[in-house]
Amino acid sequence: MNTIILDENNPQDIQTAGKLLHDGGLVVIPTETVYGLAADALNPTAVSKIFEAKGRPNDNPLIVHISDLSQLPALVKEIPESALRLADAFWPGPLTMIFPKSELIPYETSGKLETVAIRFPSNKTALAVINAAGTPLAAPSANLSGKPSPTTFSHVKDDLNGRVDAIINGKDCEVGVESTVITLVGDTIKILRPGGITKHQLESVLGHVEVDSAVVNPVAKGQTVSSPGMKYMHYSPKADITIIDGSPFDFVSFVNQQGDCHALCFEEDTSSLGVPFVSYGTRYDGEKQAQRLFSALHELDEKNAKTVYARIPSKNGVGLAVYNRLVRAAGFQICNPEHCYVIGLTGPSGSGKTTVCQVMNQLGAAIIDCDEVSKSPAVYDKDCLQELQNAFGSTILKDGKLQRKELAKIAFASDDNRKKLNAITHPRILAKVWEMITQAKAVGKKLIVVDAPTLFESGLDEKCARILVVTAKEETRIHRIMQRDNLTFEEAELRIKAQKPPSFYLSRADHIISGDDGSNFAKRLTPIVNGLLQNIDHT
Ligand code: TXA
Ligand code: MG
């Protein structure tokens, strides 16, 4: 088949695309998530061609794309009130909702189901093409079935040139992973496939939202699934991928020991890797990871990678979508080379970190208190004292002994001084903490909690496989600090204002514990601990 290439900026080309679709043809269109392989959703013959072009099993239903909310009622049997609230909040955008289907939707489109998935995309070209076609468009991702989804025009051309009537040459997709698919059928709202709209965003509109177990777990043979797409091998490049579940440091050490392999890493790793790599964003930027992941998988193919070790993304926020895609690309192969987790515990002061540590200790974890380490004589050896004296003058020493109050006075007088102090002490504290981590591992500890108020600033997060953040309301924290350090309200408030805001910690967290009510920490921490221990057993 001769595939014509259309330009998204040429209005004539948009009309051509619309006409092809109206007449039952196949056209690849850009969307904000991934490129879609579109056909008239109401035309069974046209829809059947999608399955053929992609090599897709015909029981895997398609998403129907609309360009206006007014098109929804004709396509579905009923619209729950919750759907309207979600539409109001997230449409147009990367959210797909499943409804009982109307007679208008052919079984070819719904994969023989009585339900239909509907999405109102935000991409201008996609909307213009739906309008030009004059019909809702069924569109799966425009890749060959099983391959990584396309996020650029060139990905699409590689897979589908010669298999479709036209491809629209558009921009790279800004979200980079497919839409969030939720079901509204039944009482609970459930995420069947995580995507650009996060669980947290959905919950901000609706309250509690569930996540289908197939999102992060493999589907057993014969198990029935809520979303047929979950059961197929997915997003696979040619390489054999294994996810390395450990800290950034563990990842780099492991990969460098392997030799003949490629790394699918984060930007931060690139300078320490001794093997070829492709990076997919940075550790704490889930959006960037989502945008990059499929492109990175394509690049691994271009490099002809055979064995790939991948950095594990967080499952928090849009990270859940990234993890969901990557774990499928890896065929659920995950390895924790250290057979243990170092957990960085941090959060704004007064949140309840100390209590969380105590509970984690009761649950079997080793605890390393960095505040304590930072005061230990082991850190302030002769060299260290000399460097401090060079930096801050001789008043910080008396009879060769460190005058802590004097040091604090000088060091905290300016930002510059504080940086100087950190540059001298942090590497030494880190070395001591690392020694303690190594000891805890040596005695067989599976979970090691490092309590570090400045986990990120000190760079200690590099040694942590997971980040546990404890936060509490500002009011709670102020009162705790007043009591603990015998301060006035104003003094405590000043101290809090000088620190990083809660959002700084939350955006880097794998697990979040609210410290407002310290009474049931054990109940909330136990599932986290059990989950991690189970992972170790399975890898
Ligand atoms: O972002 C996206 O959603 C992209 C762009 C092109 O819009 N489309 C996309 O479509 O990812 P596709 O076909 O690759 O994935 C659709 C997913 C599949 O996992 C499918 O099983 C699920 O949605 N799905 C569709 N209709 C369903 C239904 N009635 N019930 C349960 N799951 C459904
Ligand atoms: Mg797909």
Side-chain angles (χ1 to χ4, degrees), residues 470-521:
V470 189
T471 56
K473 292 196 195 84
E474 184 166 304
E475 199 190 301
T476 317
R477 287 187 278 131
I478 290 178
H479 282 101
R480 285 196 188 137
I481 295 174
M482 283 168 67
Q483 275 203 333
R484 187 186 69 193
D485 300 342
N486 205 5
L487 298 177
T488 65
F489 184 91
E490 286 73 23
E491 286 167 333
E493 197 182 25
L494 256 181
R495 200 185 279 184
I496 278 188
K497 296 273 189 259
Q499 293 177 352
K500 295 259 188 319
S503 59
F504 171 83
Y505 300 96
L506 293 174
S507 62
R508 289 163 172 76
D510 291 295
H511 305 285
I512 297 164
I513 292 283
S514 158
D516 282 305
D517 169 18
S519 61
N520 62 354
F521 276 144

CSV table of all heavy atoms in Angstrom, one decimal, residues 470-521:
chain,number,residue,atom,x,y,z
A,470,VAL,N,8.1,11.9,55.3
A,470,VAL,CA,7.1,12.1,56.3
A,470,VAL,C,6.7,13.6,56.3
A,470,VAL,O,7.6,14.4,56.3
A,470,VAL,CB,7.6,11.7,57.7
A,470,VAL,CG1,6.5,11.8,58.8
A,470,VAL,CG2,8.2,10.4,57.7
A,471,THR,N,5.5,13.9,56.2
A,471,THR,CA,5.1,15.3,56.2
A,471,THR,C,4.0,15.5,57.3
A,471,THR,O,3.3,14.5,57.7
A,471,THR,CB,4.5,15.8,54.9
A,471,THR,OG1,3.4,15.0,54.6
A,471,THR,CG2,5.5,15.8,53.8
A,472,ALA,N,3.7,16.7,57.7
A,472,ALA,CA,2.6,17.1,58.5
A,472,ALA,C,2.2,18.5,58.2
A,472,ALA,O,3.0,19.2,57.6
A,472,ALA,CB,3.0,16.9,60.0
A,473,LYS,N,1.0,18.9,58.7
A,473,LYS,CA,0.5,20.2,58.4
A,473,LYS,C,1.5,21.2,59.1
A,473,LYS,O,2.1,20.9,60.2
A,473,LYS,CB,-0.9,20.4,59.1
A,473,LYS,CG,-1.9,19.6,58.4
A,473,LYS,CD,-3.3,20.1,58.8
A,473,LYS,CE,-4.4,19.2,58.4
A,473,LYS,NZ,-4.6,18.1,59.4
A,474,GLU,N,1.6,22.4,58.6
A,474,GLU,CA,2.5,23.4,59.1
A,474,GLU,C,2.2,23.7,60.6
A,474,GLU,O,3.1,23.7,61.4
A,474,GLU,CB,2.4,24.7,58.3
A,474,GLU,CG,3.4,25.7,58.7
A,474,GLU,CD,3.5,26.9,57.7
A,474,GLU,OE1,3.8,26.6,56.6
A,474,GLU,OE2,3.3,28.0,58.1
A,475,GLU,N,1.0,23.8,60.9
A,475,GLU,CA,0.6,24.0,62.3
A,475,GLU,C,1.1,23.0,63.3
A,475,GLU,O,1.7,23.3,64.3
A,475,GLU,CB,-1.0,24.1,62.3
A,475,GLU,CG,-1.6,24.7,63.5
A,475,GLU,CD,-3.1,24.5,63.4
A,475,GLU,OE1,-3.7,24.8,62.4
A,475,GLU,OE2,-3.6,23.8,64.4
A,476,THR,N,0.9,21.7,62.8
A,476,THR,CA,1.4,20.6,63.7
A,476,THR,C,2.9,20.7,63.9
A,476,THR,O,3.4,20.5,65.0
A,476,THR,CB,1.1,19.2,62.9
A,476,THR,OG1,-0.2,19.3,62.4
A,476,THR,CG2,1.3,18.0,63.9
A,477,ARG,N,3.6,21.0,62.8
A,477,ARG,CA,5.1,21.0,62.8
A,477,ARG,C,5.5,22.2,63.7
A,477,ARG,O,6.4,22.0,64.5
A,477,ARG,CB,5.6,21.2,61.4
A,477,ARG,CG,5.5,19.9,60.6
A,477,ARG,CD,6.2,20.0,59.3
A,477,ARG,NE,5.4,20.7,58.3
A,477,ARG,CZ,5.8,21.7,57.5
A,477,ARG,NH1,7.1,22.1,57.6
A,477,ARG,NH2,5.0,22.3,56.6
A,478,ILE,N,4.9,23.3,63.6
A,478,ILE,CA,5.3,24.5,64.4
A,478,ILE,C,5.2,24.1,65.9
A,478,ILE,O,6.1,24.3,66.7
A,478,ILE,CB,4.5,25.7,64.1
A,478,ILE,CG1,4.9,26.2,62.7
A,478,ILE,CG2,4.7,26.8,65.1
A,478,ILE,CD1,4.1,27.4,62.2
A,479,HIS,N,4.0,23.5,66.3
A,479,HIS,CA,3.8,23.2,67.7
A,479,HIS,C,4.8,22.1,68.2
A,479,HIS,O,5.3,22.2,69.3
A,479,HIS,CB,2.4,22.8,67.9
A,479,HIS,CG,1.5,24.0,68.0
A,479,HIS,ND1,0.7,24.4,66.9
A,479,HIS,CD2,1.3,24.9,69.0
A,479,HIS,CE1,0.1,25.5,67.2
A,479,HIS,NE2,0.4,25.9,68.5
A,480,ARG,N,5.1,21.2,67.3
A,480,ARG,CA,6.1,20.2,67.7
A,480,ARG,C,7.5,20.8,68.0
A,480,ARG,O,8.2,20.5,68.9
A,480,ARG,CB,6.2,19.1,66.7
A,480,ARG,CG,5.1,18.1,66.7
A,480,ARG,CD,5.3,16.9,66.0
A,480,ARG,NE,4.1,16.1,65.9
A,480,ARG,CZ,3.7,15.4,64.8
A,480,ARG,NH1,4.4,15.5,63.7
A,480,ARG,NH2,2.6,14.8,64.8
A,481,ILE,N,7.9,21.7,67.0
A,481,ILE,CA,9.2,22.3,67.2
A,481,ILE,C,9.3,23.2,68.4
A,481,ILE,O,10.3,23.2,69.1
A,481,ILE,CB,9.5,23.1,65.9
A,481,ILE,CG1,9.7,22.1,64.7
A,481,ILE,CG2,10.8,23.9,66.0
A,481,ILE,CD1,9.9,22.8,63.3
A,482,MET,N,8.2,23.9,68.7
A,482,MET,CA,8.1,24.8,69.9
A,482,MET,C,8.4,23.9,71.1
A,482,MET,O,9.2,24.3,72.0
A,482,MET,CB,6.7,25.4,70.0
A,482,MET,CG,6.5,26.6,69.0
A,482,MET,SD,4.8,27.1,69.0
A,482,MET,CE,4.5,27.7,70.6
A,483,GLN,N,7.7,22.8,71.2
A,483,GLN,CA,7.8,21.9,72.4
A,483,GLN,C,9.2,21.3,72.5
A,483,GLN,O,9.9,21.4,73.5
A,483,GLN,CB,6.8,20.8,72.3
A,483,GLN,CG,5.5,21.2,72.8
A,483,GLN,CD,4.7,20.0,73.3
A,483,GLN,OE1,4.9,18.9,72.7
A,483,GLN,NE2,3.8,20.2,74.2
A,484,ARG,N,9.7,20.8,71.3
A,484,ARG,CA,10.9,20.0,71.3
A,484,ARG,C,12.1,20.9,71.6
A,484,ARG,O,13.0,20.6,72.4
A,484,ARG,CB,11.1,19.4,69.9
A,484,ARG,CG,12.2,18.4,69.8
A,484,ARG,CD,12.4,18.0,68.3
A,484,ARG,NE,12.8,19.1,67.5
A,484,ARG,CZ,12.8,19.1,66.1
A,484,ARG,NH1,12.3,18.0,65.5
A,484,ARG,NH2,13.2,20.1,65.5
A,485,ASP,N,12.1,22.1,71.0
A,485,ASP,CA,13.3,22.9,71.1
A,485,ASP,C,13.1,24.2,71.9
A,485,ASP,O,13.9,25.1,72.0
A,485,ASP,CB,13.8,23.4,69.7
A,485,ASP,CG,14.1,22.2,68.8
A,485,ASP,OD1,14.3,21.1,69.4
A,485,ASP,OD2,14.2,22.3,67.6
A,486,ASN,N,12.0,24.2,72.6
A,486,ASN,CA,11.7,25.3,73.6
A,486,ASN,C,11.7,26.6,72.9
A,486,ASN,O,12.4,27.5,73.3
A,486,ASN,CB,12.7,25.2,74.7
A,486,ASN,CG,12.1,25.8,76.0
A,486,ASN,OD1,11.0,26.3,76.0
A,486,ASN,ND2,12.9,25.9,77.0
A,487,LEU,N,11.0,26.8,71.8
A,487,LEU,CA,11.0,28.0,71.0
A,487,LEU,C,9.6,28.7,71.1
A,487,LEU,O,8.6,28.0,71.4
A,487,LEU,CB,11.3,27.7,69.5
A,487,LEU,CG,12.6,27.1,69.2
A,487,LEU,CD1,12.7,26.8,67.7
A,487,LEU,CD2,13.8,28.0,69.6
A,488,THR,N,9.6,30.0,70.8
A,488,THR,CA,8.3,30.7,70.7
A,488,THR,C,7.7,30.3,69.3
A,488,THR,O,8.4,29.8,68.4
A,488,THR,CB,8.5,32.2,70.7
A,488,THR,OG1,9.2,32.6,69.5
A,488,THR,CG2,9.2,32.7,72.0
A,489,PHE,N,6.4,30.6,69.2
A,489,PHE,CA,5.7,30.4,67.9
A,489,PHE,C,6.4,31.0,66.8
A,489,PHE,O,6.7,30.4,65.7
A,489,PHE,CB,4.3,30.9,68.0
A,489,PHE,CG,3.4,30.5,66.8
A,489,PHE,CD1,2.7,29.4,66.8
A,489,PHE,CD2,3.4,31.4,65.7
A,489,PHE,CE1,1.9,29.1,65.6
A,489,PHE,CE2,2.7,31.1,64.6
A,489,PHE,CZ,1.9,29.9,64.5
A,490,GLU,N,6.8,32.3,67.0
A,490,GLU,CA,7.5,33.0,65.9
A,490,GLU,C,8.8,32.4,65.5
A,490,GLU,O,9.1,32.3,64.3
A,490,GLU,CB,7.7,34.5,66.3
A,490,GLU,CG,6.4,35.4,66.3
A,490,GLU,CD,5.5,35.0,67.4
A,490,GLU,OE1,6.0,34.5,68.5
A,490,GLU,OE2,4.3,35.3,67.3
A,491,GLU,N,9.6,32.0,66.5
A,491,GLU,CA,10.9,31.4,66.3
A,491,GLU,C,10.7,30.1,65.5
A,491,GLU,O,11.4,29.8,64.5
A,491,GLU,CB,11.6,31.1,67.6
A,491,GLU,CG,12.2,32.3,68.2
A,491,GLU,CD,12.7,32.1,69.7
A,491,GLU,OE1,12.1,31.2,70.3
A,491,GLU,OE2,13.5,32.8,70.1
A,492,ALA,N,9.7,29.3,65.9
A,492,ALA,CA,9.5,28.0,65.2
A,492,ALA,C,9.0,28.2,63.8
A,492,ALA,O,9.5,27.5,62.9
A,492,ALA,CB,8.5,27.2,66.0
A,493,GLU,N,8.2,29.2,63.6
A,493,GLU,CA,7.7,29.5,62.3
A,493,GLU,C,8.8,30.0,61.4
A,493,GLU,O,8.9,29.6,60.2
A,493,GLU,CB,6.6,30.6,62.4
A,493,GLU,CG,5.7,30.7,61.2
A,493,GLU,CD,4.7,31.8,61.2
A,493,GLU,OE1,5.0,32.8,62.0
A,493,GLU,OE2,3.7,31.7,60.5
A,494,LEU,N,9.7,30.8,61.9
A,494,LEU,CA,10.8,31.3,61.1
A,494,LEU,C,11.7,30.1,60.7
A,494,LEU,O,12.1,30.1,59.5
A,494,LEU,CB,11.7,32.2,62.0
A,494,LEU,CG,11.6,33.7,61.7
A,494,LEU,CD1,12.5,34.5,62.7
A,494,LEU,CD2,11.9,34.0,60.3
A,495,ARG,N,11.9,29.2,61.6
A,495,ARG,CA,12.7,28.1,61.2
A,495,ARG,C,12.1,27.2,60.1
A,495,ARG,O,12.8,26.8,59.1
A,495,ARG,CB,12.9,27.2,62.5
A,495,ARG,CG,14.1,26.3,62.3
A,495,ARG,CD,14.3,25.3,63.4
A,495,ARG,NE,15.0,25.9,64.6
A,495,ARG,CZ,15.3,25.1,65.6
A,495,ARG,NH1,15.0,23.9,65.6
A,495,ARG,NH2,15.8,25.7,66.7
A,496,ILE,N,10.8,27.1,60.2
A,496,ILE,CA,10.1,26.3,59.1
A,496,ILE,C,10.1,27.0,57.8
A,496,ILE,O,10.4,26.4,56.7
A,496,ILE,CB,8.6,26.0,59.6
A,496,ILE,CG1,8.6,24.8,60.5
A,496,ILE,CG2,7.7,25.8,58.4
A,496,ILE,CD1,7.3,24.3,60.9
A,497,LYS,N,10.0,28.3,57.9
A,497,LYS,CA,10.0,29.1,56.6
A,497,LYS,C,11.4,29.1,55.9
A,497,LYS,O,11.5,29.2,54.7
A,497,LYS,CB,9.6,30.6,56.9
A,497,LYS,CG,8.2,30.7,57.4
A,497,LYS,CD,7.2,30.8,56.2
A,497,LYS,CE,5.8,31.2,56.7
A,497,LYS,NZ,4.8,30.1,56.8
A,498,ALA,N,12.4,28.9,56.7
A,498,ALA,CA,13.8,28.8,56.2
A,498,ALA,C,14.0,27.5,55.5
A,498,ALA,O,15.0,27.4,54.7
A,498,ALA,CB,14.8,29.1,57.3
A,499,GLN,N,13.2,26.5,55.7
A,499,GLN,CA,13.4,25.2,55.1
A,499,GLN,C,12.7,25.0,53.8
A,499,GLN,O,11.9,25.8,53.4
A,499,GLN,CB,12.9,24.1,56.1
A,499,GLN,CG,13.7,24.0,57.4
A,499,GLN,CD,13.1,23.0,58.3
A,499,GLN,OE1,12.0,22.5,58.1
A,499,GLN,NE2,13.8,22.8,59.4
A,500,LYS,N,13.1,23.9,53.1
A,500,LYS,CA,12.4,23.6,51.8
A,500,LYS,C,10.9,23.4,52.1
A,500,LYS,O,10.6,22.8,53.1
A,500,LYS,CB,13.1,22.4,51.3
A,500,LYS,CG,14.5,22.5,50.9
A,500,LYS,CD,14.6,22.8,49.4
A,500,LYS,CE,16.0,22.8,48.8
A,500,LYS,NZ,17.1,23.4,49.5
A,501,PRO,N,10.1,23.7,51.2
A,501,PRO,CA,8.6,23.5,51.3
A,501,PRO,C,8.3,22.0,51.2
A,501,PRO,O,9.1,21.3,50.6
A,501,PRO,CB,8.0,24.3,50.2
A,501,PRO,CG,9.1,24.3,49.1
A,501,PRO,CD,10.4,24.4,49.9
A,502,PRO,N,7.2,21.6,51.8
A,502,PRO,CA,6.8,20.1,51.7
A,502,PRO,C,6.8,19.6,50.2
A,502,PRO,O,7.2,18.5,50.0
A,502,PRO,CB,5.4,20.1,52.3
A,502,PRO,CG,5.3,21.3,53.2
A,502,PRO,CD,6.2,22.3,52.6
A,503,SER,N,6.4,20.5,49.3
A,503,SER,CA,6.4,20.0,47.9
A,503,SER,C,7.7,19.5,47.4
A,503,SER,O,7.8,18.6,46.6
A,503,SER,CB,5.9,21.1,47.0
A,503,SER,OG,6.8,22.2,47.1
A,504,PHE,N,8.8,20.1,47.9
A,504,PHE,CA,10.2,19.7,47.5
A,504,PHE,C,10.4,18.2,47.9
A,504,PHE,O,10.9,17.4,47.1
A,504,PHE,CB,11.2,20.5,48.3
A,504,PHE,CG,12.6,20.0,48.2
A,504,PHE,CD1,13.4,20.4,47.1
A,504,PHE,CD2,13.2,19.3,49.2
A,504,PHE,CE1,14.7,20.0,47.0
A,504,PHE,CE2,14.5,18.9,49.1
A,504,PHE,CZ,15.3,19.2,48.0
A,505,TYR,N,9.9,17.8,49.1
A,505,TYR,CA,10.0,16.4,49.5
A,505,TYR,C,9.1,15.5,48.8
A,505,TYR,O,9.4,14.4,48.3
A,505,TYR,CB,9.8,16.3,51.0
A,505,TYR,CG,10.8,17.1,51.8
A,505,TYR,CD1,10.5,18.4,52.3
A,505,TYR,CD2,12.1,16.7,52.1
A,505,TYR,CE1,11.4,19.2,53.0
A,505,TYR,CE2,13.0,17.4,52.8
A,505,TYR,CZ,12.6,18.7,53.3
A,505,TYR,OH,13.5,19.4,53.9
A,506,LEU,N,7.8,16.0,48.7
A,506,LEU,CA,6.7,15.1,48.1
A,506,LEU,C,7.0,14.7,46.7
A,506,LEU,O,6.8,13.6,46.3
A,506,LEU,CB,5.4,15.8,48.2
A,506,LEU,CG,4.9,16.0,49.7
A,506,LEU,CD1,3.6,16.9,49.7
A,506,LEU,CD2,4.7,14.7,50.3
A,507,SER,N,7.6,15.7,45.9
A,507,SER,CA,7.9,15.4,44.5
A,507,SER,C,9.0,14.3,44.3
A,507,SER,O,9.2,13.9,43.3
A,507,SER,CB,8.2,16.6,43.8
A,507,SER,OG,9.4,17.2,44.3
A,508,ARG,N,9.7,14.0,45.4
A,508,ARG,CA,10.8,13.1,45.3
A,508,ARG,C,10.5,11.8,46.0
A,508,ARG,O,11.3,10.9,46.1
A,508,ARG,CB,12.1,13.7,46.0
A,508,ARG,CG,12.7,14.8,45.1
A,508,ARG,CD,13.6,15.7,45.9
A,508,ARG,NE,14.3,16.6,45.1
A,508,ARG,CZ,13.8,17.7,44.6
A,508,ARG,NH1,12.5,18.0,44.9
A,508,ARG,NH2,14.5,18.6,43.8
A,509,ALA,N,9.3,11.6,46.6
A,509,ALA,CA,9.0,10.5,47.4
A,509,ALA,C,8.5,9.3,46.7
A,509,ALA,O,7.9,9.4,45.6
A,509,ALA,CB,7.8,10.9,48.4
A,510,ASP,N,9.0,8.1,47.2
A,510,ASP,CA,8.4,6.8,46.7
A,510,ASP,C,7.2,6.5,47.6
A,510,ASP,O,6.2,6.0,47.1
A,510,ASP,CB,9.4,5.7,46.8
A,510,ASP,CG,10.5,5.8,45.8
A,510,ASP,OD1,10.2,5.8,44.6
A,510,ASP,OD2,11.6,6.1,46.2
A,511,HIS,N,7.3,6.8,48.9
A,511,HIS,CA,6.2,6.5,49.9
A,511,HIS,C,6.1,7.8,50.7
A,511,HIS,O,7.0,8.4,51.1
A,511,HIS,CB,6.6,5.4,50.8
A,511,HIS,CG,7.0,4.1,50.1
A,511,HIS,ND1,6.0,3.3,49.5
A,511,HIS,CD2,8.2,3.5,49.8
A,511,HIS,CE1,6.6,2.3,48.9
A,511,HIS,NE2,7.9,2.4,49.1
A,512,ILE,N,4.8,8.1,51.0
A,512,ILE,CA,4.5,9.3,51.8
A,512,ILE,C,3.7,8.9,53.0
A,512,ILE,O,2.7,8.1,52.9
A,512,ILE,CB,3.7,10.3,50.9
A,512,ILE,CG1,4.5,10.8,49.7
A,512,ILE,CG2,3.2,11.5,51.8
A,512,ILE,CD1,3.7,11.4,48.6
A,513,ILE,N,4.2,9.3,54.2
A,513,ILE,CA,3.4,9.0,55.4
A,513,ILE,C,3.1,10.4,56.0
A,513,ILE,O,3.9,11.2,56.2
A,513,ILE,CB,4.3,8.2,56.4
A,513,ILE,CG1,4.6,6.8,55.8
A,513,ILE,CG2,3.7,8.2,57.8
A,513,ILE,CD1,3.4,5.9,56.0
A,514,SER,N,1.8,10.5,56.3
A,514,SER,CA,1.4,11.8,57.0
A,514,SER,C,1.7,11.6,58.5
A,514,SER,O,1.3,10.6,59.1
A,514,SER,CB,-0.1,12.0,56.8
A,514,SER,OG,-0.6,12.9,57.8
A,515,GLY,N,2.4,12.6,59.0
A,515,GLY,CA,2.8,12.5,60.5
A,515,GLY,C,1.8,13.3,61.4
A,515,GLY,O,2.1,13.5,62.5
A,516,ASP,N,0.7,13.7,60.8
A,516,ASP,CA,-0.2,14.5,61.7
A,516,ASP,C,-0.7,13.7,62.9
A,516,ASP,O,-0.8,14.2,64.0
A,516,ASP,CB,-1.4,15.0,60.9
A,516,ASP,CG,-1.0,16.2,60.0
A,516,ASP,OD1,-0.5,17.2,60.6
A,516,ASP,OD2,-1.1,16.2,58.8
A,517,ASP,N,-1.1,12.5,62.6
A,517,ASP,CA,-1.5,11.6,63.6
A,517,ASP,C,-0.6,10.4,63.7
A,517,ASP,O,-0.5,9.6,62.9
A,517,ASP,CB,-2.9,11.1,63.3
A,517,ASP,CG,-3.4,10.0,64.2
A,517,ASP,OD1,-2.8,9.8,65.3
A,517,ASP,OD2,-4.3,9.3,63.8
A,518,GLY,N,0.2,10.4,64.8
A,518,GLY,CA,1.3,9.5,65.0
A,518,GLY,C,0.8,8.1,65.5
A,518,GLY,O,1.6,7.2,65.7
A,519,SER,N,-0.5,8.0,65.8
A,519,SER,CA,-1.0,6.9,66.6
A,519,SER,C,-1.0,5.6,65.7
A,519,SER,O,-0.9,4.5,66.3
A,519,SER,CB,-2.4,7.2,67.1
A,519,SER,OG,-3.3,7.4,66.0
A,520,ASN,N,-1.2,5.7,64.4
A,520,ASN,CA,-1.3,4.4,63.7
A,520,ASN,C,-0.2,4.2,62.6
A,520,ASN,O,-0.4,3.7,61.6
A,520,ASN,CB,-2.7,4.2,63.1
A,520,ASN,CG,-3.0,5.3,62.1
A,520,ASN,OD1,-2.2,6.3,61.9
A,520,ASN,ND2,-4.1,5.3,61.4
A,521,PHE,N,1.0,4.7,63.0
A,521,PHE,CA,2.1,4.6,62.0
A,521,PHE,C,2.3,3.1,61.7
A,521,PHE,O,2.6,2.8,60.5
A,521,PHE,CB,3.4,5.1,62.7
A,521,PHE,CG,3.6,6.6,62.5
A,521,PHE,CD1,4.2,7.3,63.5
A,521,PHE,CD2,3.2,7.2,61.3
A,521,PHE,CE1,4.4,8.7,63.4
A,521,PHE,CE2,3.4,8.6,61.2
A,521,PHE,CZ,3.9,9.3,62.2
